[in-house]
Amino acid sequence: MTDPRLQALQQAVPELRLTTEAAELEHYGRDWTRRWTPAPLAIALPATVEEVQAIVRWANENGVAVVPSGGRTGLSGGAVAANGELVLSLERMNKVLAFDAVDRTLTVQPGMALEAVHNVAREHGLVYPVDFAARGSCSIGGNIATNAGGIRVIRYGNTREWIAGLKLVTGTGELLDLNRGLIKNSSGYDLRQLVIGSEGTLGVVVEATLRLTDPPPPTNVMLLALPSFEVLMRVFAEFRARLQLEAFEFFTERALEHVLAHGAQPPFAEVHPYYVVTEFAIGDEAKETAAMAAFEACLEQGWVSDGVISQSDAQAAQLWRLREGITEALARYKPYKNDVSVRISAMPAFLAETQALLGDAYPDFEVVWFGHIGDGNLHINVLKPDGLDDAEFVRQCEHVTKLLAASLRRHGGSISAEHGIGLVKKPYLDSTRGAAEIVVMRGIKRVLDPNGLMNPGKLFDPD
Ligand code: 2HG
Ligand code: ZN
């Protein structure tokens, strides 16, 4: 390590694992966006809170930017290091620190994978209910950084609802212990909530206390085939009125095609333009009857053309795979991703407008729609045609995103429902947040990170 700044860091923290090996710079410098060329200064893999504090103090002394890093499954470039930053990977801080059966909380280090959290909660007879397809690779610290949502938000809410406390090393190296697991704490600003969704721009989350809950009742999974887009929200209203929904997800025929090409089994003999996967509580006969009644009511109205209900856990998993496998199945097309939301009540008008807008704007590109329709959250993936230059493809998509952002502004929606702003959505932040609000956000950053070293250039450009 020839860089004198890194030599100084190693000297200040002799036990710190620090690397500048080319393959590691490449690996830790990118996330799932794969749009930016990784170019970090080095990778630090601290094992303790004290080491994290020492790194941040060193960063201030040497004017080096720090990119906090979890599982790097992000889709907005929030964990990309392409400008000589130090990547601070929380990968080694991945342990359970405490379980409290009375409080029903699990205190963990931030590098723990979401799936590992699920498993530990289950060992204690409880659940941590935030869940999504990247569960095996994403980390709880990253989930906090983006206020991750996923497939069960309709029932349990976002990550935000499940964080009872967290510890933050601020941009000056100070350690803040926020909320300490309290349920009631009416003592001023809730800085914990400010940190959730801040994308590593205010500091490094070094510990989190997660709320756990009772396991859900037994559930069934149903796959519905829909004849048109217009009926989607009606089917949702019908099912929500009759059942306790755990999930209500939608995808198009094109999305299914890609998942089938990736090895999944076709669910129906015929092809349908739209599909819904829904999971709902059963447990007693009345609820099972209600599910069939919802299905039949939709069938009678012509809103649903076919359906299948899971008869076993294995079949439920198979049905879920059709929805959860989409991102992976599309990855090879380097999709340009939109992750937008509006209030559920605004969804029908917004959907109609967006469908028309994208139909006109992307006559030559394949557009794949899916998402958490029950939360008002739509994922739109535009696939890059083979042979088209990456930069030119992004340029054309950015032009359409400007139109989409204007539509979101009119409908009171958000340019990022659950993936974060990062680098990808930065130009559109003002379609969701007012000018005065962004000034306040910048002011908050200046207080917690006066030298602007924590994940600079993500969320907004430096002052
Ligand atoms: C999902 O809902 C994820 O599957 C990824 O949020 C969405 O790949 C995407 O666009
Ligand atoms: Zn999603």
Side-chain angles (χ1 to χ4, degrees), residues 32 73 75 132-134 149-151 249 323-328 330 335-339 368 370-372 377-381 418-419:
W32 277 8
T73 56
L75 298 167
F132 43 90
I151 55 179
E249 301 273 315
R323 162 64 184 89
E324 291 205 308
I326 299 172
T327 299
E328 203 188 324
L330 298 181
Y336 179 92
K337 290 174 185 285
N338 285 116
D339 160 42
V368 181
F370 57 104
H372 319 282
N377 176 188
L378 203 60
H379 295 309
I380 303 158
N381 278 219
E418 58 172 6
H419 294 169

PDB file of all heavy atoms in Angstrom, residues 32 73 75 132-134 149-151 249 323-328 330 335-339 368 370-372 377-381 418-419, ligand 1:
ATOM      1  N   TRP A  32     -25.662  -3.541  -7.982  1.00  0.00           N
ATOM      2  CA  TRP A  32     -26.372  -4.279  -9.038  1.00  0.00           C
ATOM      3  C   TRP A  32     -26.696  -3.419 -10.267  1.00  0.00           C
ATOM      4  O   TRP A  32     -27.173  -3.931 -11.261  1.00  0.00           O
ATOM      5  CB  TRP A  32     -27.649  -4.917  -8.465  1.00  0.00           C
ATOM      6  CG  TRP A  32     -27.408  -6.225  -7.776  1.00  0.00           C
ATOM      7  CD1 TRP A  32     -26.194  -6.786  -7.484  1.00  0.00           C
ATOM      8  CD2 TRP A  32     -28.401  -7.144  -7.308  1.00  0.00           C
ATOM      9  NE1 TRP A  32     -26.377  -7.991  -6.850  1.00  0.00           N
ATOM     10  CE2 TRP A  32     -27.717  -8.235  -6.728  1.00  0.00           C
ATOM     11  CE3 TRP A  32     -29.799  -7.158  -7.314  1.00  0.00           C
ATOM     12  CZ2 TRP A  32     -28.386  -9.324  -6.160  1.00  0.00           C
ATOM     13  CZ3 TRP A  32     -30.469  -8.241  -6.748  1.00  0.00           C
ATOM     14  CH2 TRP A  32     -29.758  -9.310  -6.183  1.00  0.00           C
ATOM     15  N   THR A  73     -26.746  -4.878  -3.219  1.00  0.00           N
ATOM     16  CA  THR A  73     -27.805  -5.354  -4.113  1.00  0.00           C
ATOM     17  C   THR A  73     -28.663  -4.180  -4.579  1.00  0.00           C
ATOM     18  O   THR A  73     -29.682  -4.395  -5.240  1.00  0.00           O
ATOM     19  CB  THR A  73     -28.705  -6.379  -3.389  1.00  0.00           C
ATOM     20  OG1 THR A  73     -29.216  -5.762  -2.205  1.00  0.00           O
ATOM     21  CG2 THR A  73     -27.939  -7.621  -3.013  1.00  0.00           C
ATOM     22  N   LEU A  75     -30.241  -0.904  -6.455  1.00  0.00           N
ATOM     23  CA  LEU A  75     -30.540  -0.702  -7.874  1.00  0.00           C
ATOM     24  C   LEU A  75     -30.505   0.773  -8.256  1.00  0.00           C
ATOM     25  O   LEU A  75     -30.919   1.149  -9.346  1.00  0.00           O
ATOM     26  CB  LEU A  75     -31.921  -1.306  -8.189  1.00  0.00           C
ATOM     27  CG  LEU A  75     -32.027  -2.814  -7.960  1.00  0.00           C
ATOM     28  CD1 LEU A  75     -33.482  -3.275  -7.992  1.00  0.00           C
ATOM     29  CD2 LEU A  75     -31.204  -3.585  -8.974  1.00  0.00           C
ATOM     30  N   PHE A 132     -37.968  -9.659   0.734  1.00  0.00           N
ATOM     31  CA  PHE A 132     -37.927  -9.487  -0.728  1.00  0.00           C
ATOM     32  C   PHE A 132     -36.892 -10.415  -1.326  1.00  0.00           C
ATOM     33  O   PHE A 132     -36.152 -11.089  -0.597  1.00  0.00           O
ATOM     34  CB  PHE A 132     -37.678  -8.022  -1.125  1.00  0.00           C
ATOM     35  CG  PHE A 132     -36.622  -7.328  -0.326  1.00  0.00           C
ATOM     36  CD1 PHE A 132     -35.312  -7.353  -0.723  1.00  0.00           C
ATOM     37  CD2 PHE A 132     -36.967  -6.645   0.842  1.00  0.00           C
ATOM     38  CE1 PHE A 132     -34.341  -6.695   0.018  1.00  0.00           C
ATOM     39  CE2 PHE A 132     -36.006  -5.991   1.590  1.00  0.00           C
ATOM     40  CZ  PHE A 132     -34.690  -6.021   1.179  1.00  0.00           C
ATOM     41  N   ALA A 133     -36.869 -10.439  -2.669  1.00  0.00           N
ATOM     42  CA  ALA A 133     -36.115 -11.480  -3.373  1.00  0.00           C
ATOM     43  C   ALA A 133     -34.615 -11.477  -3.061  1.00  0.00           C
ATOM     44  O   ALA A 133     -33.982 -12.526  -3.058  1.00  0.00           O
ATOM     45  CB  ALA A 133     -36.338 -11.344  -4.877  1.00  0.00           C
ATOM     46  N   ALA A 134     -34.035 -10.305  -2.766  1.00  0.00           N
ATOM     47  CA  ALA A 134     -32.578 -10.241  -2.535  1.00  0.00           C
ATOM     48  C   ALA A 134     -32.197 -10.640  -1.111  1.00  0.00           C
ATOM     49  O   ALA A 134     -31.069 -10.395  -0.669  1.00  0.00           O
ATOM     50  CB  ALA A 134     -32.078  -8.823  -2.831  1.00  0.00           C
ATOM     51  N   GLY A 149     -38.509  -1.916   1.098  1.00  0.00           N
ATOM     52  CA  GLY A 149     -39.919  -2.303   1.168  1.00  0.00           C
ATOM     53  C   GLY A 149     -40.079  -3.788   0.928  1.00  0.00           C
ATOM     54  O   GLY A 149     -39.886  -4.601   1.806  1.00  0.00           O
ATOM     55  N   GLY A 150     -40.451  -4.157  -0.321  1.00  0.00           N
ATOM     56  CA  GLY A 150     -40.544  -5.572  -0.655  1.00  0.00           C
ATOM     57  C   GLY A 150     -41.957  -6.062  -0.810  1.00  0.00           C
ATOM     58  O   GLY A 150     -42.889  -5.282  -1.054  1.00  0.00           O
ATOM     59  N   ILE A 151     -42.115  -7.383  -0.637  1.00  0.00           N
ATOM     60  CA  ILE A 151     -43.364  -8.027  -1.042  1.00  0.00           C
ATOM     61  C   ILE A 151     -44.429  -8.091   0.062  1.00  0.00           C
ATOM     62  O   ILE A 151     -45.536  -8.535  -0.194  1.00  0.00           O
ATOM     63  CB  ILE A 151     -43.080  -9.461  -1.570  1.00  0.00           C
ATOM     64  CG1 ILE A 151     -42.307 -10.275  -0.533  1.00  0.00           C
ATOM     65  CG2 ILE A 151     -42.341  -9.406  -2.886  1.00  0.00           C
ATOM     66  CD1 ILE A 151     -42.010 -11.703  -0.954  1.00  0.00           C
ATOM     67  N   GLU A 249     -49.151  -8.796  -5.691  1.00  0.00           N
ATOM     68  CA  GLU A 249     -48.110  -8.409  -6.633  1.00  0.00           C
ATOM     69  C   GLU A 249     -48.575  -8.651  -8.059  1.00  0.00           C
ATOM     70  O   GLU A 249     -49.340  -9.586  -8.314  1.00  0.00           O
ATOM     71  CB  GLU A 249     -46.859  -9.258  -6.375  1.00  0.00           C
ATOM     72  CG  GLU A 249     -46.321  -9.114  -4.978  1.00  0.00           C
ATOM     73  CD  GLU A 249     -45.364  -7.953  -4.846  1.00  0.00           C
ATOM     74  OE1 GLU A 249     -44.502  -7.807  -5.724  1.00  0.00           O
ATOM     75  OE2 GLU A 249     -45.482  -7.205  -3.872  1.00  0.00           O
ATOM     76  N   ARG A 323     -42.888 -14.477  -9.726  1.00  0.00           N
ATOM     77  CA  ARG A 323     -42.775 -13.036  -9.462  1.00  0.00           C
ATOM     78  C   ARG A 323     -41.364 -12.664  -8.985  1.00  0.00           C
ATOM     79  O   ARG A 323     -40.781 -11.692  -9.459  1.00  0.00           O
ATOM     80  CB  ARG A 323     -43.832 -12.642  -8.412  1.00  0.00           C
ATOM     81  CG  ARG A 323     -43.591 -11.316  -7.709  1.00  0.00           C
ATOM     82  CD  ARG A 323     -43.639 -10.130  -8.656  1.00  0.00           C
ATOM     83  NE  ARG A 323     -43.315  -8.884  -7.974  1.00  0.00           N
ATOM     84  CZ  ARG A 323     -42.108  -8.380  -7.836  1.00  0.00           C
ATOM     85  NH1 ARG A 323     -41.055  -9.000  -8.357  1.00  0.00           N
ATOM     86  NH2 ARG A 323     -41.919  -7.249  -7.202  1.00  0.00           N
ATOM     87  N   GLU A 324     -40.832 -13.471  -8.071  1.00  0.00           N
ATOM     88  CA  GLU A 324     -39.546 -13.104  -7.468  1.00  0.00           C
ATOM     89  C   GLU A 324     -38.369 -13.308  -8.415  1.00  0.00           C
ATOM     90  O   GLU A 324     -37.306 -12.729  -8.212  1.00  0.00           O
ATOM     91  CB  GLU A 324     -39.323 -13.906  -6.183  1.00  0.00           C
ATOM     92  CG  GLU A 324     -40.280 -13.495  -5.088  1.00  0.00           C
ATOM     93  CD  GLU A 324     -39.737 -13.776  -3.697  1.00  0.00           C
ATOM     94  OE1 GLU A 324     -39.324 -14.928  -3.447  1.00  0.00           O
ATOM     95  OE2 GLU A 324     -39.731 -12.866  -2.882  1.00  0.00           O
ATOM     96  N   GLY A 325     -38.569 -14.128  -9.438  1.00  0.00           N
ATOM     97  CA  GLY A 325     -37.462 -14.417 -10.354  1.00  0.00           C
ATOM     98  C   GLY A 325     -37.279 -13.359 -11.441  1.00  0.00           C
ATOM     99  O   GLY A 325     -36.370 -13.463 -12.268  1.00  0.00           O
ATOM    100  N   ILE A 326     -38.136 -12.325 -11.452  1.00  0.00           N
ATOM    101  CA  ILE A 326     -38.117 -11.390 -12.596  1.00  0.00           C
ATOM    102  C   ILE A 326     -36.792 -10.629 -12.695  1.00  0.00           C
ATOM    103  O   ILE A 326     -36.161 -10.605 -13.760  1.00  0.00           O
ATOM    104  CB  ILE A 326     -39.318 -10.409 -12.534  1.00  0.00           C
ATOM    105  CG1 ILE A 326     -40.643 -11.174 -12.603  1.00  0.00           C
ATOM    106  CG2 ILE A 326     -39.238  -9.403 -13.681  1.00  0.00           C
ATOM    107  CD1 ILE A 326     -41.899 -10.333 -12.367  1.00  0.00           C
ATOM    108  N   THR A 327     -36.347 -10.025 -11.596  1.00  0.00           N
ATOM    109  CA  THR A 327     -35.128  -9.195 -11.649  1.00  0.00           C
ATOM    110  C   THR A 327     -33.945 -10.005 -12.179  1.00  0.00           C
ATOM    111  O   THR A 327     -33.206  -9.545 -13.059  1.00  0.00           O
ATOM    112  CB  THR A 327     -34.805  -8.642 -10.241  1.00  0.00           C
ATOM    113  OG1 THR A 327     -35.916  -7.849  -9.835  1.00  0.00           O
ATOM    114  CG2 THR A 327     -33.555  -7.791 -10.244  1.00  0.00           C
ATOM    115  N   GLU A 328     -33.793 -11.207 -11.654  1.00  0.00           N
ATOM    116  CA  GLU A 328     -32.670 -12.050 -12.088  1.00  0.00           C
ATOM    117  C   GLU A 328     -32.814 -12.428 -13.568  1.00  0.00           C
ATOM    118  O   GLU A 328     -31.843 -12.395 -14.325  1.00  0.00           O
ATOM    119  CB  GLU A 328     -32.637 -13.303 -11.217  1.00  0.00           C
ATOM    120  CG  GLU A 328     -31.286 -13.950 -11.181  1.00  0.00           C
ATOM    121  CD  GLU A 328     -31.335 -15.286 -10.466  1.00  0.00           C
ATOM    122  OE1 GLU A 328     -32.103 -15.424  -9.483  1.00  0.00           O
ATOM    123  OE2 GLU A 328     -30.613 -16.199 -10.924  1.00  0.00           O
ATOM    124  N   LEU A 330     -34.157 -10.774 -15.868  1.00  0.00           N
ATOM    125  CA  LEU A 330     -33.956  -9.626 -16.771  1.00  0.00           C
ATOM    126  C   LEU A 330     -32.519  -9.098 -16.746  1.00  0.00           C
ATOM    127  O   LEU A 330     -32.141  -8.294 -17.596  1.00  0.00           O
ATOM    128  CB  LEU A 330     -34.899  -8.475 -16.384  1.00  0.00           C
ATOM    129  CG  LEU A 330     -36.401  -8.737 -16.476  1.00  0.00           C
ATOM    130  CD1 LEU A 330     -37.175  -7.483 -16.081  1.00  0.00           C
ATOM    131  CD2 LEU A 330     -36.801  -9.176 -17.884  1.00  0.00           C
ATOM    132  N   PRO A 335     -31.248  -3.818 -17.706  1.00  0.00           N
ATOM    133  CA  PRO A 335     -32.439  -2.957 -17.798  1.00  0.00           C
ATOM    134  C   PRO A 335     -32.231  -1.579 -17.180  1.00  0.00           C
ATOM    135  O   PRO A 335     -31.467  -1.430 -16.231  1.00  0.00           O
ATOM    136  CB  PRO A 335     -33.497  -3.720 -17.008  1.00  0.00           C
ATOM    137  CG  PRO A 335     -32.894  -4.972 -16.560  1.00  0.00           C
ATOM    138  CD  PRO A 335     -31.436  -4.955 -16.821  1.00  0.00           C
ATOM    139  N   TYR A 336     -32.915  -0.618 -17.743  1.00  0.00           N
ATOM    140  CA  TYR A 336     -33.039   0.702 -17.121  1.00  0.00           C
ATOM    141  C   TYR A 336     -34.279   0.607 -16.242  1.00  0.00           C
ATOM    142  O   TYR A 336     -35.365   0.283 -16.725  1.00  0.00           O
ATOM    143  CB  TYR A 336     -33.210   1.777 -18.192  1.00  0.00           C
ATOM    144  CG  TYR A 336     -33.370   3.154 -17.614  1.00  0.00           C
ATOM    145  CD1 TYR A 336     -32.266   3.971 -17.416  1.00  0.00           C
ATOM    146  CD2 TYR A 336     -34.626   3.623 -17.244  1.00  0.00           C
ATOM    147  CE1 TYR A 336     -32.408   5.235 -16.855  1.00  0.00           C
ATOM    148  CE2 TYR A 336     -34.769   4.882 -16.682  1.00  0.00           C
ATOM    149  CZ  TYR A 336     -33.659   5.677 -16.498  1.00  0.00           C
ATOM    150  OH  TYR A 336     -33.797   6.914 -15.941  1.00  0.00           O
ATOM    151  N   LYS A 337     -34.109   0.903 -14.922  1.00  0.00           N
ATOM    152  CA  LYS A 337     -35.195   0.613 -13.990  1.00  0.00           C
ATOM    153  C   LYS A 337     -35.867   1.869 -13.463  1.00  0.00           C
ATOM    154  O   LYS A 337     -35.186   2.792 -13.052  1.00  0.00           O
ATOM    155  CB  LYS A 337     -34.648  -0.190 -12.805  1.00  0.00           C
ATOM    156  CG  LYS A 337     -34.261  -1.604 -13.176  1.00  0.00           C
ATOM    157  CD  LYS A 337     -33.591  -2.322 -12.027  1.00  0.00           C
ATOM    158  CE  LYS A 337     -33.100  -3.692 -12.438  1.00  0.00           C
ATOM    159  NZ  LYS A 337     -34.146  -4.703 -12.586  1.00  0.00           N
ATOM    160  N   ASN A 338     -37.176   1.850 -13.472  1.00  0.00           N
ATOM    161  CA  ASN A 338     -37.951   2.845 -12.736  1.00  0.00           C
ATOM    162  C   ASN A 338     -38.664   2.144 -11.588  1.00  0.00           C
ATOM    163  O   ASN A 338     -39.109   1.007 -11.731  1.00  0.00           O
ATOM    164  CB  ASN A 338     -38.988   3.510 -13.640  1.00  0.00           C
ATOM    165  CG  ASN A 338     -38.362   4.513 -14.584  1.00  0.00           C
ATOM    166  OD1 ASN A 338     -38.387   4.356 -15.793  1.00  0.00           O
ATOM    167  ND2 ASN A 338     -37.753   5.549 -14.030  1.00  0.00           N
ATOM    168  N   ASP A 339     -38.756   2.846 -10.482  1.00  0.00           N
ATOM    169  CA  ASP A 339     -39.372   2.299  -9.263  1.00  0.00           C
ATOM    170  C   ASP A 339     -40.218   3.422  -8.681  1.00  0.00           C
ATOM    171  O   ASP A 339     -39.730   4.219  -7.896  1.00  0.00           O
ATOM    172  CB  ASP A 339     -38.240   1.871  -8.306  1.00  0.00           C
ATOM    173  CG  ASP A 339     -38.689   1.757  -6.863  1.00  0.00           C
ATOM    174  OD1 ASP A 339     -39.788   1.221  -6.640  1.00  0.00           O
ATOM    175  OD2 ASP A 339     -37.941   2.196  -5.962  1.00  0.00           O
ATOM    176  N   VAL A 368     -40.901  -3.970 -19.496  1.00  0.00           N
ATOM    177  CA  VAL A 368     -41.469  -5.007 -18.629  1.00  0.00           C
ATOM    178  C   VAL A 368     -41.998  -4.352 -17.354  1.00  0.00           C
ATOM    179  O   VAL A 368     -41.272  -3.657 -16.652  1.00  0.00           O
ATOM    180  CB  VAL A 368     -40.395  -6.068 -18.281  1.00  0.00           C
ATOM    181  CG1 VAL A 368     -40.987  -7.159 -17.413  1.00  0.00           C
ATOM    182  CG2 VAL A 368     -39.794  -6.662 -19.553  1.00  0.00           C
ATOM    183  N   PHE A 370     -43.944  -4.693 -13.628  1.00  0.00           N
ATOM    184  CA  PHE A 370     -44.331  -5.560 -12.512  1.00  0.00           C
ATOM    185  C   PHE A 370     -44.290  -4.725 -11.231  1.00  0.00           C
ATOM    186  O   PHE A 370     -43.938  -3.549 -11.289  1.00  0.00           O
ATOM    187  CB  PHE A 370     -43.411  -6.788 -12.400  1.00  0.00           C
ATOM    188  CG  PHE A 370     -41.937  -6.499 -12.238  1.00  0.00           C
ATOM    189  CD1 PHE A 370     -41.325  -6.637 -11.000  1.00  0.00           C
ATOM    190  CD2 PHE A 370     -41.158  -6.116 -13.322  1.00  0.00           C
ATOM    191  CE1 PHE A 370     -39.959  -6.392 -10.852  1.00  0.00           C
ATOM    192  CE2 PHE A 370     -39.797  -5.865 -13.182  1.00  0.00           C
ATOM    193  CZ  PHE A 370     -39.193  -6.002 -11.948  1.00  0.00           C
ATOM    194  N   GLY A 371     -44.636  -5.343 -10.128  1.00  0.00           N
ATOM    195  CA  GLY A 371     -44.474  -4.580  -8.896  1.00  0.00           C
ATOM    196  C   GLY A 371     -45.502  -4.848  -7.826  1.00  0.00           C
ATOM    197  O   GLY A 371     -46.329  -5.745  -7.917  1.00  0.00           O
ATOM    198  N   HIS A 372     -45.387  -3.987  -6.806  1.00  0.00           N
ATOM    199  CA  HIS A 372     -46.159  -4.146  -5.574  1.00  0.00           C
ATOM    200  C   HIS A 372     -47.389  -3.262  -5.711  1.00  0.00           C
ATOM    201  O   HIS A 372     -47.482  -2.187  -5.099  1.00  0.00           O
ATOM    202  CB  HIS A 372     -45.297  -3.723  -4.391  1.00  0.00           C
ATOM    203  CG  HIS A 372     -43.874  -4.181  -4.493  1.00  0.00           C
ATOM    204  ND1 HIS A 372     -43.503  -5.475  -4.221  1.00  0.00           N
ATOM    205  CD2 HIS A 372     -42.735  -3.552  -4.886  1.00  0.00           C
ATOM    206  CE1 HIS A 372     -42.189  -5.600  -4.406  1.00  0.00           C
ATOM    207  NE2 HIS A 372     -41.701  -4.458  -4.811  1.00  0.00           N
ATOM    208  N   ASN A 377     -46.956   0.768  -5.894  1.00  0.00           N
ATOM    209  CA  ASN A 377     -45.535   0.786  -6.325  1.00  0.00           C
ATOM    210  C   ASN A 377     -45.340  -0.083  -7.574  1.00  0.00           C
ATOM    211  O   ASN A 377     -45.619  -1.277  -7.562  1.00  0.00           O
ATOM    212  CB  ASN A 377     -44.681   0.259  -5.162  1.00  0.00           C
ATOM    213  CG  ASN A 377     -43.188   0.125  -5.461  1.00  0.00           C
ATOM    214  OD1 ASN A 377     -42.467  -0.420  -4.635  1.00  0.00           O
ATOM    215  ND2 ASN A 377     -42.707   0.596  -6.581  1.00  0.00           N
ATOM    216  N   LEU A 378     -44.855   0.581  -8.614  1.00  0.00           N
ATOM    217  CA  LEU A 378     -44.689  -0.058  -9.914  1.00  0.00           C
ATOM    218  C   LEU A 378     -43.214  -0.107 -10.284  1.00  0.00           C
ATOM    219  O   LEU A 378     -42.519   0.896 -10.154  1.00  0.00           O
ATOM    220  CB  LEU A 378     -45.418   0.853 -10.898  1.00  0.00           C
ATOM    221  CG  LEU A 378     -45.919   0.326 -12.202  1.00  0.00           C
ATOM    222  CD1 LEU A 378     -46.925  -0.788 -11.952  1.00  0.00           C
ATOM    223  CD2 LEU A 378     -46.619   1.482 -12.947  1.00  0.00           C
ATOM    224  N   HIS A 379     -42.741  -1.264 -10.764  1.00  0.00           N
ATOM    225  CA  HIS A 379     -41.390  -1.346 -11.327  1.00  0.00           C
ATOM    226  C   HIS A 379     -41.511  -1.406 -12.837  1.00  0.00           C
ATOM    227  O   HIS A 379     -42.248  -2.243 -13.370  1.00  0.00           O
ATOM    228  CB  HIS A 379     -40.669  -2.597 -10.839  1.00  0.00           C
ATOM    229  CG  HIS A 379     -40.410  -2.604  -9.363  1.00  0.00           C
ATOM    230  ND1 HIS A 379     -39.807  -1.561  -8.722  1.00  0.00           N
ATOM    231  CD2 HIS A 379     -40.691  -3.517  -8.402  1.00  0.00           C
ATOM    232  CE1 HIS A 379     -39.716  -1.833  -7.438  1.00  0.00           C
ATOM    233  NE2 HIS A 379     -40.251  -3.012  -7.206  1.00  0.00           N
ATOM    234  N   ILE A 380     -40.801  -0.511 -13.516  1.00  0.00           N
ATOM    235  CA  ILE A 380     -40.812  -0.525 -14.984  1.00  0.00           C
ATOM    236  C   ILE A 380     -39.385  -0.756 -15.435  1.00  0.00           C
ATOM    237  O   ILE A 380     -38.500   0.052 -15.141  1.00  0.00           O
ATOM    238  CB  ILE A 380     -41.333   0.818 -15.539  1.00  0.00           C
ATOM    239  CG1 ILE A 380     -42.738   1.103 -14.991  1.00  0.00           C
ATOM    240  CG2 ILE A 380     -41.333   0.795 -17.063  1.00  0.00           C
ATOM    241  CD1 ILE A 380     -43.122   2.563 -15.019  1.00  0.00           C
ATOM    242  N   ASN A 381     -39.139  -1.893 -16.064  1.00  0.00           N
ATOM    243  CA  ASN A 381     -37.795  -2.222 -16.552  1.00  0.00           C
ATOM    244  C   ASN A 381     -37.782  -2.107 -18.070  1.00  0.00           C
ATOM    245  O   ASN A 381     -38.556  -2.782 -18.760  1.00  0.00           O
ATOM    246  CB  ASN A 381     -37.421  -3.659 -16.164  1.00  0.00           C
ATOM    247  CG  ASN A 381     -36.907  -3.788 -14.736  1.00  0.00           C
ATOM    248  OD1 ASN A 381     -35.979  -4.539 -14.459  1.00  0.00           O
ATOM    249  ND2 ASN A 381     -37.510  -3.077 -13.804  1.00  0.00           N
ATOM    250  N   GLU A 418     -38.889   2.485  -3.322  1.00  0.00           N
ATOM    251  CA  GLU A 418     -38.208   1.624  -2.346  1.00  0.00           C
ATOM    252  C   GLU A 418     -36.752   1.338  -2.685  1.00  0.00           C
ATOM    253  O   GLU A 418     -36.073   0.672  -1.913  1.00  0.00           O
ATOM    254  CB  GLU A 418     -38.973   0.292  -2.198  1.00  0.00           C
ATOM    255  CG  GLU A 418     -39.101  -0.458  -3.521  1.00  0.00           C
ATOM    256  CD  GLU A 418     -39.669  -1.846  -3.375  1.00  0.00           C
ATOM    257  OE1 GLU A 418     -40.074  -2.219  -2.275  1.00  0.00           O
ATOM    258  OE2 GLU A 418     -39.685  -2.574  -4.390  1.00  0.00           O
ATOM    259  N   HIS A 419     -36.258   1.806  -3.815  1.00  0.00           N
ATOM    260  CA  HIS A 419     -34.862   1.513  -4.180  1.00  0.00           C
ATOM    261  C   HIS A 419     -33.906   2.623  -3.785  1.00  0.00           C
ATOM    262  O   HIS A 419     -32.698   2.449  -3.858  1.00  0.00           O
ATOM    263  CB  HIS A 419     -34.742   1.268  -5.691  1.00  0.00           C
ATOM    264  CG  HIS A 419     -35.459   0.034  -6.150  1.00  0.00           C
ATOM    265  ND1 HIS A 419     -35.674  -0.248  -7.471  1.00  0.00           N
ATOM    266  CD2 HIS A 419     -36.013  -0.990  -5.456  1.00  0.00           C
ATOM    267  CE1 HIS A 419     -36.321  -1.388  -7.581  1.00  0.00           C
ATOM    268  NE2 HIS A 419     -36.555  -1.862  -6.366  1.00  0.00           N
TER     269      HIS A 419
HETATM  270  C1  2HG B   1     -38.647  -6.348  -6.776  1.00  0.00           C
HETATM  271  O1  2HG B   1     -39.731  -5.904  -6.407  1.00  0.00           O
HETATM  272  C2  2HG B   1     -37.414  -5.535  -6.555  1.00  0.00           C
HETATM  273  O2  2HG B   1     -38.544  -7.474  -7.271  1.00  0.00           O
HETATM  274  C3  2HG B   1     -36.596  -5.323  -7.827  1.00  0.00           C
HETATM  275  O3  2HG B   1     -37.722  -4.309  -5.972  1.00  0.00           O
HETATM  276  C4  2HG B   1     -37.305  -4.550  -8.873  1.00  0.00           C
HETATM  277  O4  2HG B   1     -35.745  -5.241 -10.550  1.00  0.00           O
HETATM  278  C5  2HG B   1     -36.572  -4.396 -10.221  1.00  0.00           C
HETATM  279  O5  2HG B   1     -36.865  -3.439 -10.943  1.00  0.00           O
END
